[in-house]
Amino acid sequence: MTIAKADAPLAVAPDRIATAFWRLDVTDARFDDLAALLSPDERVRADRFYYDLHRRRFIAARGLLREALGAHLRVSPGGLRFRVNAHGKPAVAAPVDFPHFSLSHSGDGALLAIADSPVGADIEAIRPYPADVAGAMFSKGENAVIDAAPPGPARDAAFCRVWTCREAVCKAEGLGFALDQAAFEVSFSAAERPQIVLNRAAKASVKPWLLQVWEPAPGFCAAIAWLE
């Protein structure tokens, strides 16, 4: 399972944020070694998957996460213990306390971000644009950006850029989709990177996250959100 440099196109706080993109090759000879790192509760979670391919991708992603965090924290990967908050956001609980990472996987791609402060990461395999989802969940401005792209692959990618940015913010906030989606929107202006526009009238408050969105590999869109 080769680690590709997801941050190759990034020049974003390289001293504060490390990212890794993995292709989850479940036939790799290292699969059994990665599986051996998982805790009993992670194995129970893996066994809940209906399809064996999905189960094996979950196992590979969790094993790679443990390896990366173990190397970063200089502890045994198999000895890591995790906790989750009320909305499912994970953090390392033992042998040290470390909350600043975010793991996402979609299809055979996985993205990990490790930072020195709160961070959210999301990766999505680019799929046909679901107009009903965008209409229900995205702002008028976000939908306008998507609609401005030509139908087909360009529009599919435009939807994915909005989705991953929003998901990265939700993960960074630690609330997932419990976060009021009307509290912010993502602006894709001529700026170097997408920007968060806060809705001051919304009931929920959102921090002024910085965003980066990129394609770590053909067919994938990824985003991270972090605080300056």
Side-chain angles (χ1 to χ4, degrees):
M1 296 183 185
T2 304
I3 297 179
K5 291 184 66 178
D7 53 349
L10 302 182
V12 177
D15 57 331
R16 295 183 51 206
I17 303 172
T19 60
F21 169 76
W22 298 300
R23 300 304 289 262
L24 302 176
D25 179 3
V26 297
T27 64
D28 192 284
R30 292 188 60 233
F31 178 83
D32 290 342
D33 293 335
L34 293 171
L37 298 176
L38 270 60
S39 65
D41 64 295
E42 286 172 318
R43 295 191 183 100
V44 169
R45 289 175 61 190
D47 288 340
R48 291 175 183 157
F49 285 92
Y50 183 81
Y51 293 106
D52 186 61
L53 176 62
H54 297 165
R55 181 185 67 84
R56 291 174 68 86
R57 284 175 174 171
F58 171 84
I59 290 171
R62 295 296 296 192
L64 288 165
L65 168 68
R66 284 177 168 274
E67 280 194 341
L69 287 175
H72 181 75
L73 299 172
R74 299 181 181 180
V75 299
S76 168
L80 290 168
R81 294 295 176 264
F82 298 91
R83 66 178 188 275
V84 295
N85 70 9
H87 303 283
K89 182 176 176 61
V92 175
V96 296
D97 182 85
F98 185 75
H100 303 315
F101 72 90
S102 185
L103 175 70
S104 176
H105 49 93
S106 177
D108 70 345
L111 177 71
L112 171 66
I114 300 175
D116 62 1
S117 61
V119 66
D122 189 57
I123 188 168
E124 299 291 338
I126 298 175
R127 299 181 176 91
Y129 158 58
D132 55 338
V133 174
M137 298 189 65
F138 294 171
S139 70
K140 290 182 179 179
E142 291 165 340
N143 276 293
V145 169
I146 296 169
D147 293 340
R155 189 167 293 180
D156 299 339
F159 168 84
C160 217
R161 284 193 292 272
V162 175
W163 178 274
T164 54
C165 283
R166 294 192 66 88
E167 180 77 354
V169 170
C170 291
K171 290 182 176 181
E173 288 278 345
L175 296 174
F177 283 118
L179 178 65
D180 180 5
Q181 297 299 299
F184 71 100
E185 71 173 272
V186 182
S187 173
F188 292 85
S189 63
E192 180 182 353
R193 296 194 297 267
Q195 305 290 317
I196 289 292
V197 178
L198 303 179
N199 180 359
R200 302 297 181 183
K203 293 181 181 179
S205 61
V206 175
K207 299 179 182 69
W209 300 99
L210 299 178
L211 289 170
Q212 177 70 49
V213 61
W214 77 104
E215 293 186 8
F220 286 94
C221 184
I224 54 173
W226 76 102
L227 292 175
E228 192 167 20

